[in-house]
Amino acid sequence: MNETLVSLACHSYGFAALVYLTYLARQWAALAMVGRILVALGLVLHGAALFPVLGAQGGMPVGAAQGFSSLAFLLLALGLVLDVRYRKPVIGAFITPLAVATLVPGVLLQGGQAPLSPELRQPLLPLHISIALVGMAAFAVAAGVGVMYLLMERQVKGKRFGLLFSRLPSLEFLDTLNRRLVVVGFIALSITLATGAFFVAGSSQGLTWMMDAKVVATLVAWGLFAGLAAARVFVGWRGRRVALLTMAGFGLVLVSFLSSYDFTAGGMR
């Protein structure tokens, strides 16, 4: 990837994070607009560096650096869409710093790009990986929304109506947004599992595939989110327990993501 463009994008995101965090203290409309512009500018620079590399590799983030970079790009794009769609700049205060923290390893690992191995030259694999990354981004944002819910709930239950109470969205809005994001992530995760099983069906890996750390973590995460969806529909679960389970599920998906790369070689496992 073009290191200069990625570095400029990272700086733009970093300034955006500072602007959004400042918005928590001073709720000025100008700060929200500046934050959005900085994120949009970063996405343009980031995309200009990332997309040609992915295109040359069949659309796949083969290296660990590209994996982190792609995830950060999706996180910021989704965060910006939600901010603009719902006019809730506070979302940026929680998502943008997380995305910057995700991108930093991608910047540091720039030199670790690995060549595309023959095993990865499968026609549908780029779609499999892209959907997996979209699902992970949705779960990451849902986890961030869960953190906001817990903070807001603490303010309400403790009757401490301080700065965060006046900045954070309502508990109902946060719970609804969490549900929508988890649905998107769950659909993506289901497709990821189905396509992953398709790739392995004709290979010699057999049952050893089921013992892979990323597969185990993904299956457990799928079961957790499936149970959470069922509990929402049939039991009426909402609120704190849903937020906590969403965060736990995201942790499992993160383990799966990290297990997908060999950080010593810089490539995909």
Side-chain angles (χ1 to χ4, degrees):
M1 285 184 289
N2 187 311
E3 295 184 16
T4 301
L5 289 178
V6 174
S7 178
L8 288 173
C10 192
H11 281 80
S12 185
Y13 297 147
F15 284 123
L18 291 175
V19 169
Y20 277 124
L21 290 171
T22 303
Y23 180 84
L24 289 178
R26 292 287 184 269
Q27 202 169 12
W28 297 334
L31 288 174
M33 182 59 66
V34 171
R36 291 163 184 157
I37 292 173
L38 287 171
V39 170
L41 175 61
L43 288 172
V44 172
L45 296 170
H46 195 173
L50 181 62
F51 292 158
V53 175
L54 296 182
Q57 297 179 164
M60 291 183 291
V62 177
Q66 299 156 27
F68 279 107
S69 187
S70 299
L71 179 57
F73 182 91
L74 290 171
L75 270 173
L76 287 156
L78 180 55
L80 182 60
V81 168
L82 293 176
D83 176 10
V84 174
R85 168 66 178 82
Y86 295 109
R87 296 296 171 181
K88 303 289 186 184
V90 69
I91 294 175
F94 285 82
I95 302 305
T96 309
L98 173 63
V100 172
T102 303
L103 180 59
V104 168
V107 175
L108 297 178
L109 291 170
Q110 283 294 328
Q113 182 173 329
L116 189 63
S117 64
E119 292 80 7
L120 296 177
R121 298 180 184 277
Q122 301 188 47
L124 293 178
L125 192 56
L127 179 63
H128 168 81
I129 296 174
S130 299
I131 292 175
L133 286 172
V134 169
M136 185 169 181
F139 285 136
V141 177
V145 171
V147 171
M148 284 190 275
Y149 186 97
L150 295 176
L151 291 173
M152 186 62 168
E153 184 194 47
R154 185 176 181 181
Q155 295 268 313
V156 172
K157 285 188 174 181
K159 296 183 179 180
R160 294 192 298 270
F161 306 123
L163 180 66
L164 285 177
F165 181 81
S166 62
R167 300 293 188 264
L168 293 174
S170 68
L171 291 175
E172 182 179 0
F173 172 84
L174 292 172
D175 187 71
T176 300
L177 182 58
N178 172 281
R179 174 175 55 80
R180 291 173 179 172
L181 289 166
V182 167
V183 167
V184 172
F186 181 69
I187 292 172
L189 188 62
S190 300
I191 296 174
T192 300
L193 279 172
T195 53
F198 171 77
F199 290 133
V200 176
S203 71
S204 60
Q205 290 182 312
L207 292 177
T208 59
W209 173 73
M210 296 293 294
M211 302 304 294
D212 190 285
K214 64 176 178 289
V215 177
V216 172
T218 303
L219 287 171
V220 174
W222 187 91
L224 186 152
F225 284 117
L228 181 57
R232 269 192 177 274
V233 174
F234 298 110
V235 186
W237 276 17
R238 297 184 65 187
R240 179 180 180 83
R241 72 179 76 183
V242 171
L244 290 172
L245 287 173
T246 300
M247 294 163 65
F250 169 65
L252 290 169
V253 177
L254 182 61
V255 169
S256 176
F257 171 77
L258 295 176
S259 301
S260 300
Y261 291 98
D262 183 350
F263 292 95
T264 57
M268 185 175 291
R269 294 182 189 275

